[in-house]
């Protein structure tokens, strides 16, 4: 089969990433007990995520690295079911499904194995590229949006990325009274309903006086970039732009602490990372009296076994089909499945400057009947 191949981690993608023919197709035996809960799909489109770039960086090789090289990057896929495990009832051969990753590899290929619990049927009328954009980024946006209350003032840091473009729209649906976002993509976010777009290249949102007043502070700050918590903790008395936890202030992020705390290649490094996450939550809940002006900290993601992936994805797809939420793809369309295309896609993901969701078109769209 045709598939992307990565030969080494922690190297420039131009040197280690290519699309090759003749790659072995995943082995799938429906009667094998190990395949219970899984299905084989012919991939139409693959959506990239920050985790894919993180694996390539080699910084988390100990617990996210591939078992062997070369490996196939990418996790989220939309495709046609080719085979299912014996006894499987949630999907059937011929179904077109959207599948959230169950491991950070295997998606950028003509065939991939998916976890059926992480699948939802693709609605007719929606392209595979649009549908796969919901798998991880969209699901995370839904989980975060569920913490937004009617009347909230919301600030989204990094509003034009894969999660942000969904989130700013969902915030309005949840009843947010005011939605602001930081981004260079001012026109795009205005089209998505954002009330105020702050271009971070010339404006520091953390020092704007109108957001430091009691009336102007945000109820919710969503950090999709990283390092926002540091700005919260650096604020002096009366300088914060987000309400204190005692006043309902919330700091929500799917981004784990970065830098040396996320070089997860040893047990110690991983333990330090988890301690940092836990300490932030404990400090702003049990010991909020010690940090009177800080909001409650919460790390949130819409992926994994602890999440109702099917229900979350179905909710978002319903919004998209009804026209209340728009899918935004990086460059406006899916990227071609060539060596040059895959390298371009991964660089966009690595650079944290994707405008919308980065999606690779692996095969032609299936004709709707």
């Amino acid at each position: 089969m045709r598939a992307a191949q990565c030969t080494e981690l922690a190297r420039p993608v131009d040197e280690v990433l290519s699309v090759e023919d003749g790659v072995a197709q995943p082995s799938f035996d429906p009667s094998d007990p190990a395949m219970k809960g899984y299905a084989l799909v012919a991939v139409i489109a693959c959506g990239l995520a920050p985790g894919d770039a993180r694996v390539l960086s080699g910084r988390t090789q100990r617990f996210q690295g591939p078992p062997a090289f070369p490996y196939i990057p990418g996790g989220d896929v939309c495709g046609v079911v080719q085979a299912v495990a014996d006894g499987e009832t949630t999907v059937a051969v011929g179904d077109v499904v959207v599948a959230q990753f169950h491991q950070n590899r295997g998606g950028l290929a003509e065939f991939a194995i998916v976890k059926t619990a992480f699948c939802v049927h693709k609605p007719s009328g929606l392209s595979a590229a649009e549908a796969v954009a919901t798998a991880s980024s969209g699901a995370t946006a839904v989980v975060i949006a569920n913490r937004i209350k009617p009347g909230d003032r919301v600030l989204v840091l990094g509003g034009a990325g894969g999660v942000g473009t969904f989130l700013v729209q969902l915030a309005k649906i949840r009843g947010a009274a005011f939605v602001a976002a930081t981004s260079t993509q001012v026109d795009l976010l205005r089209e998505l309903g954002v009330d105020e777009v702050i271009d971070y290249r010339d404006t520091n949102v953390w020092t704007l006086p109108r957001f430091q007043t009691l009336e102007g502070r945000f109820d919710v700050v969503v950090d999709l970039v990283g390092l926002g918590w540091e700005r919260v903790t650096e604020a002096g008395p009366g300088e914060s732009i987000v309400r204190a936890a005692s006043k309902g202030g919330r700091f929500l992020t799917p981004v784990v602490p970065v830098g040396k705390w996320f070089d997860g290649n040893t047990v110690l490094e991983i333990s330090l990372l988890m301690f940092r996450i836990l300490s932030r939550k404990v400090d702003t809940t049990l010991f909020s009296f010690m940090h009177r002006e800080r909001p409650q900290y919460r790390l949130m993601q819409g992926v994994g076994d602890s999440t109702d992936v099917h229900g979350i994805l179905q909710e978002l797809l319903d919004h998209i089909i009804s026209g209340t939420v728009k899918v935004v793809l990086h460059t406006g369309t899916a990227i071609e499945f060539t060596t040059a295309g895959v390298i371009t896609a991964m660089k966009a993901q690595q650079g944290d400057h994707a405008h919308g969701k980065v999606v690779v078109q692996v095969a032609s769209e299936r004709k709707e009947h």
Side-chain angles (χ1 to χ4, degrees), residues 32 107 154 173 185 199 241-242 244 246 269 286 327 337 344 361:
D32 185 348
V154 179
I173 293 173
Q185 303 302 298
D199 188 334
I241 65 171
V242 57
S246 61
E269 288 167 344
L286 297 180
V327 179
F337 189 45
T344 296
Q361 190 78 44

Side-chain angles (χ1 to χ4, degrees), residues 24-55:
Q25 182 176 320
S27 175
F28 190 91
D29 180 358
S31 64
D32 185 348
M35 291 295 102
K36 182 177 177 60
Y38 293 90
L40 177 70
V41 301
V43 178
I44 302 173
C46 175
L48 298 185
D52 299 313
R54 190 165 59 242
V55 172

Side-chain angles (χ1 to χ4, degrees), residues 39-81:
L40 177 70
V41 301
V43 178
I44 302 173
C46 175
L48 298 185
D52 299 313
R54 190 165 59 242
V55 172
L56 270 173
S57 75
R59 294 173 63 192
T60 56
Q61 185 172 0
R62 177 65 63 88
F63 71 100
Q64 283 189 317
F69 292 96
Y71 85 98
I72 301 170
D76 295 338
V77 299
C78 179
V80 184
V81 177

Side-chain angles (χ1 to χ4, degrees), residues 3-356:
Q5 296 278 270
C6 179
T7 58
E8 191 176 346
L9 302 182
R11 295 284 300 278
V13 292
D14 314 66
E15 301 176 6
V16 298
L17 192 59
S18 63
V19 175
E20 307 288 346
D21 292 308
V23 179
Q25 182 176 320
S27 175
F28 190 91
D29 180 358
S31 64
D32 185 348
M35 291 295 102
K36 182 177 177 60
Y38 293 90
L40 177 70
V41 301
V43 178
I44 302 173
C46 175
L48 298 185
D52 299 313
R54 190 165 59 242
V55 172
L56 270 173
S57 75
R59 294 173 63 192
T60 56
Q61 185 172 0
R62 177 65 63 88
F63 71 100
Q64 283 189 317
F69 292 96
Y71 85 98
I72 301 170
D76 295 338
V77 299
C78 179
V80 184
V81 177
Q82 304 296 296
V84 298
D86 290 347
E88 178 61 52
T89 59
T90 57
V91 299
V93 172
D95 288 349
V96 185
V97 298
V98 180
Q100 187 183 96
F101 74 91
H102 65 280
Q103 55 184 3
N104 287 102
R105 55 187 179 272
L108 280 170
E110 291 180 319
F111 295 93
I113 293 176
V114 300
K115 194 170 186 177
T116 56
F118 291 178
C119 289
V120 63
H121 291 85
K122 182 187 80 68
S124 60
L126 194 65
S127 73
E130 292 171 317
V132 78
T134 67
S136 292
S137 296
T140 296
V142 171
V143 169
I144 294 173
N146 286 340
R147 293 284 176 173
I148 296 173
K149 302 175 183 178
D152 276 346
R153 289 173 56 81
V154 179
L155 171 64
V156 180
L157 305 174
V163 177
T165 49
F166 284 121
L167 181 59
V168 294
Q169 299 175 81
L170 291 169
K172 286 289 190 177
I173 293 173
R174 293 291 187 274
F178 179 80
V179 176
T182 61
S183 176
T184 61
Q185 303 302 298
V186 177
D187 292 339
L188 168 62
L189 289 180
R190 284 175 177 165
E191 291 175 8
L192 297 179
V194 175
D195 297 297
E196 184 173 351
V197 185
I198 298 99
D199 188 334
Y200 58 81
R201 294 173 299 184
D202 52 40
T203 304
N204 183 355
V205 68
W206 301 97
T207 61
L208 290 177
R210 64 180 178 277
F211 294 150
Q212 293 175 334
T213 66
L214 292 179
E215 298 78 15
R217 287 180 179 174
F218 293 99
D219 300 285
V220 180
V221 170
V222 182
D223 185 4
L224 303 178
V225 180
L227 301 181
W229 185 250
E230 282 74 6
R231 300 308 303 269
V232 168
T233 57
E234 290 169 359
E239 295 179 346
S240 179
I241 65 171
V242 57
R243 300 190 197 285
S246 61
K247 302 295 183 182
R250 285 147 279 157
F251 183 95
L252 312 176
T253 182
V255 183
V256 296
V258 295
K260 64 180 181 180
W261 298 94
F262 202 29
D263 290 333
N265 281 318
T266 69
V267 173
L268 175 60
E269 288 167 344
I270 296 171
S271 298
L272 288 172
L273 168 66
M274 299 309 298
F275 174 77
R276 195 177 194 192
I277 294 170
L278 181 61
S279 64
R280 289 181 179 184
K281 184 174 181 180
V282 171
D283 279 351
T284 58
T285 51
L286 297 180
F287 300 107
S288 59
F289 63 90
M290 297 175 62
H291 310 287
R292 296 181 182 276
E293 293 206 18
R294 293 184 187 178
Q296 184 184 53
Y297 175 94
R298 185 179 291 270
L299 180 69
M300 306 188 71
Q301 296 184 331
V303 298
D305 291 308
S306 62
T307 306
D308 176 17
V309 175
H310 183 276
I312 290 170
L313 290 180
Q314 192 60 61
E315 177 185 347
L316 181 56
L317 289 168
D318 288 345
H319 281 305
I320 294 169
I321 292 301
S322 69
T324 54
V325 169
K326 176 184 177 182
V327 179
V328 179
L329 298 181
H330 180 64
T331 73
T333 187
I335 297 170
E336 64 180 5
F337 189 45
T338 62
T339 293
V342 168
I343 288 173
T344 296
M346 194 61 75
K347 282 184 174 180
Q349 193 64 68
Q350 287 180 326
D352 292 328
H353 292 295
H355 305 138

